[in-house]
Amino acid sequence: MAQPDNKKFFENLTGAGKAIAVLTSGGDAQGMNAAVRAVVRMGIYVGAKVYFVHEGYQGMVDGGDNIKEASWESVSSMLQVGGTVIGSARCKDFRSHEGRLKAAHNLVQRGITNLCVIGGDGSLTGANLFREEWSGLLAELVQQGLIDEEASQKYSALHIVGMVGSIDNDFCGTDMTIGTDSALHRIIEVVDAIMTTAQSHQRTFVLEVMGRHCGYLALVSALACGADWVLIPEMPPEDGWEEKMCEKLSAKRAGMKRLNIIIVAEGAIDRNNQPITSEHVKNLVVQRLGFDTRVTILGHVQRGGTPSAFDRILASRMGVEAVLALLETTANTPACVVSLCGNQSVRLPLMECVQMTQQVQKAMDEKRFEEAVRLRGRSFENNLKTYKLLAHRKPESELPHSNFNVAVLNVGAPAAGMNAAVRSAVRVGISEGHKMFAVNDGFEGFHKGQIKEIKWADVGGWTGQGGSLLGTKRTLPAKHIEKIAEQMRKYNINALLVIGGFEALECLLQLNEARAHYEEFCIPLCMLPATISNNVPGTDLSIGADTALNAIVETCDRIKQSASGTKHRVFIIETMGGYCGYLASVGGLAAGADAAYIYEEPFDIRDLQSNVEHLTEKMKTSIQRGLVLRNENSNENYTTDFIYQLYSEEGRGVFDCRKNVLGHMQQGGAPSPFDRNFGTKIAAKAMQWITKKLNESYRQGRVFANSEDSACLLGMRRRAMVFQPVVQLKDETDFVHRIPKEQWWLKLRPLMKILAKYKTSYDVSDSGQLEHVVLNRPKESEATAAI
């Protein structure tokens, strides 16, 4: 973390006298519009001129009306629109020297020397070539008399920052590209729908998803829906795979499973680099097993629809970061690409990323498949390891026998993704040789003895289920501690995995304290954060929060749309979260809110008045709708009703008001792909930690773990997954308001304000610094680590 005295504020970075052009190129991806909006508004905010380049590089070559100055209002209502509003095209002309010369002339005429390119590796490579040729192109233009020497000197350097927009997530250097999460949403919606029809008829479905050169979509969707088999280009199946696949499908059907799902990436190949088509897979199943089999090719459905909350936030953060990078760039700065590493923005040299991306294809062409997976990066590699761990059950004879019993339970309110985490924990535990026990209804059920062994097949199909199938209660263990210790003895429980929200942290602290009196709790204790409120200390993200954000954003979109035929309307929307303002703030950023009231940032009547005045000014432009979010416990006196009445009164004659309390709809529904994947990987990592701790602390027939580091929370901290002793987290926690004392997402609040045209202070000392691409070389001990 940056020290307070090292803070750097973007107010010191001015865009005055600079011109920035933004273009989208190559295939479209959901979230591109959010990135364009962020670049335009941030650029205008810092005093730069910002231009749209319509139709990608073709528009830059053709010039004229294709290059237009953007205004603040011209990007309103873009956030929720899929595809790219400014258009994209494959451009042959730009590949020629003459085409790039025309493009340079068109930019110089408008004084544009800063280019923000949103596209795939081909688009970004083209941008870098353009930058390298720039001085030569200007010299040619002077020679031809199209520009004078003064213009050549004034616009002597072209600065380029890239953002990767690609649903395939095929660009090395970033964990996620803009559009990938939304494409996964489309795939998972289809898989969930197919599952119901497949179960009705005992069918096998072969799903073909996009990914000509990259299997990310196929792999993660297989992980998120528990598919029986997945075929991807980076890791072709071993020779004889047809027999193995049919054996597995047959065994599943014999085990009374009514459906089978096989996911095929469109670029899937075998070990000889020959394509494996979805039709070939279908014919195999029909000929060898006689199963009723259907093929579904998703095609461009995956590119369509509105962007997910994740993609809107990612694109908005990257867009703002791209403008900051352009403001800080010098003539010697290499072209960079804004990337995501864990939960942090980073800037990487564009060509380093492009070269590594090209190395992946080279490795695949040369049949160096292990190398190809490693080059794809840690996110891809760990997804693949986790899928292998969970999808293929080893025969009993091959499993290790640990003689350890591990119990898993849910605590607190239900959160989407809990079931995916339980499934993952159970299957990894069984693979490690443990006997797994499920506890119903949290510690309430624990003390009553609602404990039973849970097998591999018992958790089949759990990934897509919302809520908590085990049942969950808020009951803390302290008042039943003796009974719980008794049940621990009865079932000989050697380790405990608790999945839940703030109550789960309190439970672990109580069990840790109980160790002084009960030997039964001197065992490895691990907690996974799962709560829509995202209010658990020790982690940036919790299982369930992404699904809740999507519910909020989808509702906000519909509410805003309901006013499309109405002049000047402001919506006041109340979100859940207790005292934690995460959902209101990050939901506000994703939905394009004008204000978000939260407990962590105190506000008074003057702030409310200022917001009303701001909205009144806004309504005088072409923007006719306003959106205000309020966290449920943001202020006991300034209630949602109070704010609604204040806005209604003060806005009379300019705008009218409506209010909506979202309530428990934020807690329900099927988990998002992110939550399924996050829950699956984090639980796998937790079980591997538990196994390690059990093996370390086994003493004379009993487990004895009493140290601080044997009672941990596993959370995401910036770039890494970290196990933290719960005792150490006590100092980071405000137990009265049930929130962490420091919360990373508060740094995103100025972004929402900037993009809503408020003057605000923004600390950029933690923004991305130029780094180098580091190739992930895992240690042997981390070979099966997830995330």
Side-chain angles (χ1 to χ4, degrees):
M1 296 291 286
Q3 295 302 311
D5 55 345
N6 290 339
K7 279 191 175 177
K8 182 171 73 173
F9 292 94
F10 89 115
E11 291 90 320
N12 305 326
L13 299 168
T14 177
K18 294 192 176 184
I20 300 169
V22 58
L23 68 105
T24 53
S25 175
D28 63 305
Q30 308 97 317
M32 278 183 163
N33 289 324
V36 170
R37 172 182 176 265
V39 170
V40 168
R41 292 200 165 174
M42 187 64 169
I44 292 171
Y45 192 91
V46 296
K49 273 189 173 184
V50 186
Y51 291 85
F52 291 135
V53 179
H54 291 275
E55 309 309 329
Y57 286 118
Q58 191 65 57
M60 200 192 292
V61 172
D62 295 344
D65 285 344
N66 288 305
I67 305 175
K68 278 185 183 168
E69 190 172 349
S71 68
W72 192 275
E73 289 73 30
S74 62
V75 291
S76 65
S77 302
M78 268 175 73
L79 195 56
Q80 65 270 27
V81 181
T84 166
V85 169
I86 59 174
S88 181
R90 312 273 180 195
C91 178
K92 281 185 182 173
D93 292 346
F94 192 74
R95 291 179 187 171
S96 70
H97 183 78
E98 291 73 24
R100 292 194 291 276
L101 190 66
K102 280 185 191 173
H105 186 215
N106 288 327
L107 294 187
V108 170
Q109 280 182 312
R110 292 164 180 82
I112 298 167
T113 55
N114 296 283
L115 207 53
C116 188
V117 181
I118 307 162
D121 62 335
S123 307
L124 299 177
T125 306
N128 193 62
L129 175 64
F130 190 40
R131 174 182 167 274
E132 286 172 351
E133 289 183 350
W134 183 256
S135 56
L137 293 170
L138 292 197
E140 273 186 65
L141 291 171
V142 171
Q143 206 175 353
Q144 293 175 18
L146 292 170
I147 63 168
D148 57 27
E149 192 63 49
E150 190 186 337
S152 172
Q153 294 297 319
K154 189 176 179 184
Y155 306 121
S156 60
L158 179 68
H159 306 298
I160 284 175
V161 171
M163 283 183 270
V164 192
S166 162
I167 67 165
D168 293 335
N169 202 27
D170 56 354
F171 193 80
C172 293
T174 184
D175 286 354
M176 284 290 264
T177 57
I178 296 166
T180 305
D181 187 69
S182 301
L184 285 170
H185 272 259
R186 300 294 95 79
I187 295 168
I188 294 304
E189 282 163 17
V190 171
V191 173
D192 286 353
I194 276 174
M195 277 183 163
T196 53
T197 179
Q199 280 178 324
S200 306
H201 297 277
Q202 280 204 335
R203 275 195 180 135
T204 297
F205 266 90
V206 180
L207 248 82
E208 184 182 299
V209 301
M210 280 184 166
R212 199 171 302 135
H213 306 292
C214 178
Y216 186 88
L217 289 178
L219 178 58
V220 175
S221 51
L223 198 56
C225 71
D228 298 295
W229 203 267
V230 65
L231 294 157
I232 58 171
E234 290 87 349
M235 186 52 72
E238 300 290 342
D239 292 340
W241 64 272
E242 297 94 338
E243 197 61 46
K244 284 182 184 170
M245 184 183 78
C246 290
E247 274 175 23
K248 185 179 180 190
L249 298 179
S250 186
K252 282 280 178 82
R253 196 59 66 90
M256 303 306 288
K257 189 177 178 188
R258 294 183 63 83
L259 81 153
N260 301 109
I261 289 195
I262 302 161
I263 295 182
V264 184
E266 63 178 329
I269 51 173
D270 64 17
R271 290 265 151 183
N272 300 310
N273 281 354
Q274 294 305 304
I276 300 174
T277 64
S278 47
E279 199 59 37
H280 172 63
V281 175
K282 176 202 164 179
N283 294 337
L284 260 175
V285 177
V286 172
Q287 287 161 15
R288 298 200 183 191
L289 300 173
F291 289 176
D292 183 4
T293 307
R294 299 283 190 274
V295 172
T296 300
I297 298 172
L298 267 63
H300 280 71
V301 164
Q302 295 156 87
R303 285 197 190 280
T306 61
S308 65
F310 183 96
D311 272 330
R312 297 183 198 196
I313 294 155
L314 175 67
S316 298
R317 287 175 74 179
M318 283 187 168
V320 168
E321 186 68 40
V323 173
L324 291 176
L326 285 170
L327 294 182
E328 292 175 358
T329 194
T330 66
N332 303 320
T333 312
C336 79
V337 62
V338 179
S339 300
L340 182 78
C341 183
N343 189 34
Q344 195 176 10
S345 292
V346 292
R347 299 176 197 168
L348 299 168
L350 192 153
M351 288 319 291
E352 283 186 23
C353 297
V354 168
Q355 281 153 14
M356 193 180 286
T357 304
Q358 289 166 349
Q359 280 177 38
V360 179
Q361 189 58 49
K362 190 165 181 268
M364 287 194 280
D365 293 341
E366 294 171 2
K367 301 182 185 178
R368 292 180 287 113
F369 298 114
E370 297 283 345
E371 179 79 357
V373 169
R374 198 164 57 83
L375 286 164
R376 276 274 178 242
R378 59 175 195 161
S379 175
F380 188 94
E381 196 171 12
N382 290 320
N383 279 317
L384 184 58
K385 283 172 185 165
T386 310
Y387 177 77
K388 284 179 176 175
L389 208 56
L390 298 174
H392 305 293
R393 186 183 183 183
K394 290 179 184 170
E396 291 288 334
S397 57
E398 288 181 31
L399 289 176
H401 289 286
S402 72
N403 296 320
F404 291 126
N405 296 340
V406 181
V408 58
L409 68 160
N410 295 336
V411 172
M418 275 182 164
N419 298 320
V422 172
R423 169 186 174 268
S424 175
V426 167
R427 291 195 168 179
V428 173
I430 291 169
S431 299
E432 308 256 317
H434 310 316
K435 195 181 269 191
M436 297 300 295
F437 287 84
V439 183
N440 293 112
D441 297 336
F443 284 102
E444 179 95 9
F446 208 131
H447 89 269
K448 292 176 181 171
Q450 294 174 7
I451 304 165
K452 63 176 191 300
E453 190 180 348
I454 187 164
K455 300 286 183 68
W456 186 281
D458 296 337
V459 290
W462 277 34
T463 48
Q465 302 279 334
S468 165
L469 291 171
L470 287 184
T472 180
K473 291 273 170 72
R474 294 180 186 272
T475 310
L476 300 180
K479 60 180 178 180
H480 304 296
I481 203 77
E482 203 164 311
K483 278 276 188 193
I484 292 167
E486 196 180 299
Q487 298 293 351
M488 299 278 283
R489 276 196 303 278
K490 181 179 172 184
Y491 289 93
N492 189 26
I493 302 297
N494 306 122
L496 209 53
L497 180 66
V498 182
I499 303 166
F502 200 88
E503 290 90 352
L505 176 67
E506 293 176 308
C507 290
L508 239 65
L509 286 167
Q510 289 183 1
L511 294 178
N512 190 52
E513 283 174 21
R515 284 172 164 180
H517 308 288
Y518 299 93
E519 194 185 73
E520 289 79 7
F521 301 117
C522 296
I523 58 172
L525 305 169
C526 188
M527 175 201 161
L528 301 182
T531 165
I532 68 164
S533 303
N534 200 28
N535 63 330
V536 178
T539 187
D540 289 356
L541 299 168
S542 299
I543 299 164
D546 183 72
T547 306
L549 272 181
N550 278 291
I552 291 166
V553 168
E554 282 167 27
T555 309
C556 288
D557 286 352
R558 290 181 185 184
I559 286 171
K560 279 161 64 174
Q561 195 178 40
S562 74
S564 57
T566 312
K567 291 285 182 190
H568 307 315
R569 178 164 286 172
V570 174
F571 295 95
I572 317 290
I573 295 172
E574 183 185 298
T575 66
M576 282 178 136
Y579 284 96
C580 179
Y582 176 81
L583 291 178
S585 295
V586 182
L589 179 61
D594 295 280
Y597 299 119
I598 61 168
Y599 166 77
E600 292 93 338
E601 204 171 272
F603 58 96
D604 58 25
I605 197 73
R606 288 181 294 277
D607 297 309
L608 294 170
Q609 182 62 37
S610 162
N611 294 149
V612 172
E613 286 167 4
H614 184 86
L615 278 163
T616 305
E617 280 301 307
K618 174 179 168 175
M619 296 298 175
K620 290 175 185 173
T621 67
S622 59
I623 300 169
Q624 294 164 358
R625 285 165 292 177
L627 184 66
V628 174
L629 271 60
R630 178 188 173 274
N631 165 247
E632 58 185 351
N633 288 351
S634 55
N635 189 297
E636 60 180 333
N637 295 315
Y638 299 136
T639 61
T640 303
D641 278 336
F642 177 90
I643 292 172
Y644 162 69
Q645 286 164 2
L646 177 78
Y647 272 69
S648 299
E649 182 60 35
E650 295 296 318
R652 188 172 293 177
V654 181
F655 58 80
D656 65 359
C657 241
R658 294 288 185 274
K659 66 172 176 177
N660 198 307
V661 177
L662 299 185
H664 280 74
M665 63 159 289
Q666 295 158 84
Q667 223 162 23
S672 67
F674 182 92
D675 277 330
R676 297 181 195 203
N677 195 14
F678 186 48
T680 298
K681 291 199 288 185
I682 198 172
K685 193 171 178 75
M687 283 308 302
Q688 288 160 351
W689 176 86
I690 282 172
T691 300
K692 183 167 165 270
K693 287 287 172 194
L694 285 169
N695 292 333
E696 282 173 4
S697 57
Y698 188 69
R699 297 278 184 280
Q700 298 166 355
R702 274 206 58 76
V703 173
F704 200 83
N706 201 14
S707 58
E708 267 191 11
D709 68 349
S710 63
C712 284
L713 176 146
L714 172 57
M716 178 184 269
R717 281 271 170 107
R718 291 158 74 88
R719 301 191 189 189
M721 298 300 303
V722 187
F723 287 95
Q724 298 146 99
V726 287
V727 175
Q728 291 176 18
L729 292 174
K730 279 168 90 171
D731 293 338
E732 297 180 26
T733 309
D734 173 353
F735 284 96
V736 176
H737 298 101
R738 302 163 68 80
I739 53 173
K741 288 177 182 172
E742 283 192 21
Q743 303 186 84
W744 70 273
W745 53 264
L746 286 168
K747 290 192 172 184
L748 297 183
R749 280 184 63 80
L751 298 194
M752 187 191 73
K753 292 176 182 174
I754 287 165
L755 298 176
K757 215 174 184 175
Y758 284 93
K759 284 290 173 196
T760 187
S761 189
Y762 181 38
D763 175 15
V764 295
S765 46
D766 202 28
S767 69
Q769 301 304 311
L770 194 64
E771 300 179 13
H772 290 282
V773 181
V774 179
L775 187 56
N776 185 35
R777 291 190 180 277
K779 299 171 198 159
E780 287 302 309
S781 61
E782 291 170 4
T784 54
I787 295 194

